[in-house]
Amino acid sequence: MKHLVAPSLLSADFSNLRPDIEMVNQSQADWFHLDIMDGTFVPNISFGLPVVKAIKKYAAMPLDVHLMIVQPERYIMEFKEAGANILSVHYEACTHLHRTLHTIRQQGMKAGIVLNPHTSVILLDDIISEADLVLIMSVNPGYGGQQFIENTYGKIGRLKELVLRKNPDCLIEVDGGVTLDNARMLLEAGADVLVAGNTIFAAADPIATILRLKNLS
Ligand code: DX5
Ligand code: ZN
């Protein structure tokens, strides 16, 4: 499978989102990556359900929603109704992760597990079979434009071994500090989906940058 590219709208112009949505629509991107932050699980607050709904009206690709919120199980139905196609929850935020993933799938969405930089992939051994994707955070979640954490390459490699052994259909997504310089190595380590915010939206030509991220392999 050719890898996927998911631009993160966290780095878009929040005072005028529509042109950035249209830019992504016209690009080779595969998904819209939407970062939901509650000011408790992470120190920042981003945007919520009404903005997801508004983005859904114009987005031509699936919405990949990354919940950085405590007790995300409270909002599964609401994000489905707002238009999420993929809903990812943090391992660190879920007391009953198995049940939460099942509920997401019951609602007709793909279910993802997100790991913070300090959370080992070893902990996924008994839950990986229930996930459609695992998102590896390569920065501490909460902000765009942060420095990539180098340990991520090895972590993706260890996750790839687990995926091949227990759930070969499970996608590996990487999020945080992804650039044109490290993207190829992330794909070689085993990543299937590249999230990029700053690299795309701070570029002089975002559409060309998305194309370059797509054409790495
Ligand atoms: C960070 C978010 C990321 C963020 C990535 O908490 O999960 O999706 O937008 O931004 P960049 O690519 O700028 O590091
Ligand atoms: Zn994200």
Side-chain angles (χ1 to χ4, degrees):
M1 183 197 91
K2 182 153 173 76
H3 69 274
L4 308 180
V5 172
S8 167
L9 288 187
L10 192 63
S11 296
D13 180 356
F14 283 2
S15 70
N16 192 12
L17 276 175
R18 182 84 184 270
D20 284 338
I21 295 168
E22 296 299 345
M23 179 281 288
V24 175
N25 286 343
Q26 283 158 31
S27 78
Q28 296 298 307
D30 299 279
W31 297 345
F32 282 83
H33 184 85
L34 305 185
D35 291 296
I36 312 299
M37 304 178 185
D38 67 356
T40 300
F41 183 73
V42 288
N44 199 6
I45 297 174
S46 56
F47 54 85
L49 289 157
V51 177
V52 175
K53 266 186 203 154
I55 293 168
K56 185 70 178 179
K57 278 204 287 187
Y58 300 106
M61 293 89 160
L63 301 189
D64 170 35
V65 177
H66 173 191
L67 295 183
M68 283 159 274
I69 65 176
V70 296
Q71 298 175 328
E73 64 278 1
R74 294 170 299 162
Y75 292 103
I76 293 170
M77 306 279 230
E78 282 86 345
F79 278 100
K80 169 68 185 175
E81 281 162 18
N85 302 92
I86 303 145
L87 196 61
S88 296
V89 295
H90 271 259
Y91 179 94
E92 305 85 5
C94 294
T95 309
H96 300 289
L97 182 56
H98 184 278
R99 180 186 290 145
T100 301
L101 295 174
H102 272 246
T103 309
I104 293 171
R105 283 176 154 184
Q106 268 166 10
Q107 292 301 316
M109 296 177 283
K110 301 278 187 203
I113 306 170
V114 192
L115 298 186
N116 271 338
H118 70 274
T119 306
S120 171
V121 298
I122 294 167
L123 294 166
L124 297 179
D125 203 58
D126 289 299
I127 192 68
I128 190 90
S129 57
E130 313 300 324
D132 297 297
L133 70 86
V134 175
L135 196 174
I136 299 283
M137 287 310 302
S138 38
V139 298
N140 286 292
Y143 303 94
Q146 299 184 83
Q147 181 78 30
F148 178 83
I149 296 172
E150 296 286 324
N151 181 55
T152 307
Y153 299 115
K155 195 167 177 180
I156 291 174
R158 293 188 289 280
L159 176 58
K160 185 73 181 178
E161 283 173 27
L162 180 65
V163 161
L164 290 174
R165 194 155 48 82
K166 291 207 155 176
N167 182 3
D169 293 333
C170 181
L171 296 177
I172 299 176
E173 183 171 17
V174 59
D175 182 9
V178 174
T179 66
L180 288 166
D181 293 325
N182 61 21
R184 187 186 299 276
M185 276 172 70
L186 291 167
L187 297 174
E188 285 167 6
D192 302 297
V193 188
L194 301 173
V195 175
N198 200 53
T199 291
I200 291 171
F201 287 96
D205 188 341
I207 289 188
T209 305
I210 292 169
L211 189 61
R212 287 179 70 189
L213 288 168
K214 271 302 275 187
N215 285 343
L216 288 167
S217 65

